[in-house]
Amino acid sequence: MRISRGVSGHQILFLVSFFIGIVIVTVLANGKVPENPLMNKVLAGGFLEEGWNRRELFLQCLWKRASVVLLIFMLTATSMRVWVCRILLIWLGTFFGVLLKLFYLWYGLSGMGLLVVSVLPHYVFYIMSYGLMYWNFEKNRLRARRNYFPILLSVIVVIMGILAESYVNPFLVGGYLKIFF
């Protein structure tokens, strides 16, 4: 017996907002390449020559990411979890659409690879942790008893994402810049 799985509403929502992000940049750029404040020479020099203070980067990521993830987790525990999921999907889709188009305008095809290398490793952990949290609360919404192991696992996955962002991403981006730029 073959199980056929269709496209979910979450996937459609992400893809539509992704294409909206691409259209936003296309309309706002109006045939011109916008300025590039993201990967200027100072930032590229930090990745290539000077290196990053990884401990400082870890503490900065811990503060910024953990506070946002904590807010999202608290909202997921309420009855607003479906709306929080939709808003998060729209934001992530638009964010990736805008960044993909901008990196393509700035650097061509190698810029799209730079975006993937600089964003993908840690966002995989963040999305997995949110998905686990959403799944846990959606599965247990009718039960009086909660299972707290997925919540603890979600927090561990967020910490793994913060570690990946502060220790793995500078290494990957620096290597990618040395090869392609």
Side-chain angles (χ1 to χ4, degrees):
M1 185 166 139
R2 187 173 180 194
I3 299 175
S4 174
R5 200 176 152 197
V7 178
S8 72
H10 295 347
Q11 293 166 338
I12 292 172
L13 189 62
F14 179 81
L15 286 175
V16 166
S17 61
F18 175 77
F19 288 117
I20 287 173
I22 291 174
V23 168
I24 287 172
V25 172
T26 305
V27 169
L28 291 180
N30 202 16
K32 301 174 201 166
V33 178
E35 287 186 31
N36 181 2
L38 294 177
M39 288 297 289
N40 56 24
K41 290 183 180 182
V42 174
L43 187 59
F47 279 114
L48 292 175
E49 299 154 9
E50 302 160 10
W52 290 99
N53 183 348
R54 294 204 168 58
R55 183 175 183 273
E56 185 178 316
L57 184 61
F58 172 75
L59 293 174
Q60 181 182 5
C61 290
L62 182 66
W63 172 251
K64 288 183 177 180
R65 302 294 186 246
S67 60
V68 170
V69 167
L70 181 65
L71 176 67
I72 290 172
F73 281 179
M74 288 186 333
L75 290 173
T76 303
T78 67
S79 61
M80 297 178 1
R81 79 180 59 80
V82 175
W83 286 103
V84 170
C85 181
R86 290 177 184 160
I87 291 169
L88 194 62
L89 284 171
I90 290 170
W91 178 78
L92 283 175
T94 307
F95 171 73
F96 283 124
V98 165
L99 282 182
L100 187 71
K101 180 69 176 193
L102 286 176
F103 272 70
Y104 177 73
L105 289 173
W106 291 329
Y107 306 114
L109 289 177
S110 59
M112 294 169 67
L114 179 62
L115 175 68
V116 169
V117 166
S118 63
V119 173
L120 192 63
H122 59 279
Y123 267 94
V124 167
F125 288 108
Y126 298 149
I127 291 170
M128 281 190 328
S129 69
Y130 177 73
L132 182 62
M133 184 68 83
Y134 180 80
W135 168 80
N136 179 47
F137 282 111
E138 191 64 25
K139 183 184 88 166
N140 294 325
R141 68 185 161 129
L142 299 177
R143 294 184 186 170
R145 193 173 78 94
R146 297 263 186 231
N147 184 6
Y148 293 105
F149 180 72
I151 297 170
L152 177 65
L153 191 60
S154 294
V155 170
I156 291 170
V157 171
V158 167
I159 292 171
M160 289 171 49
I162 292 170
L163 288 171
E165 185 174 5
S166 55
Y167 290 101
V168 176
N169 276 18
F171 173 73
L172 291 176
V173 171
Y176 190 85
L177 288 173
K178 285 178 185 175
I179 293 171
F180 291 102
F181 291 98

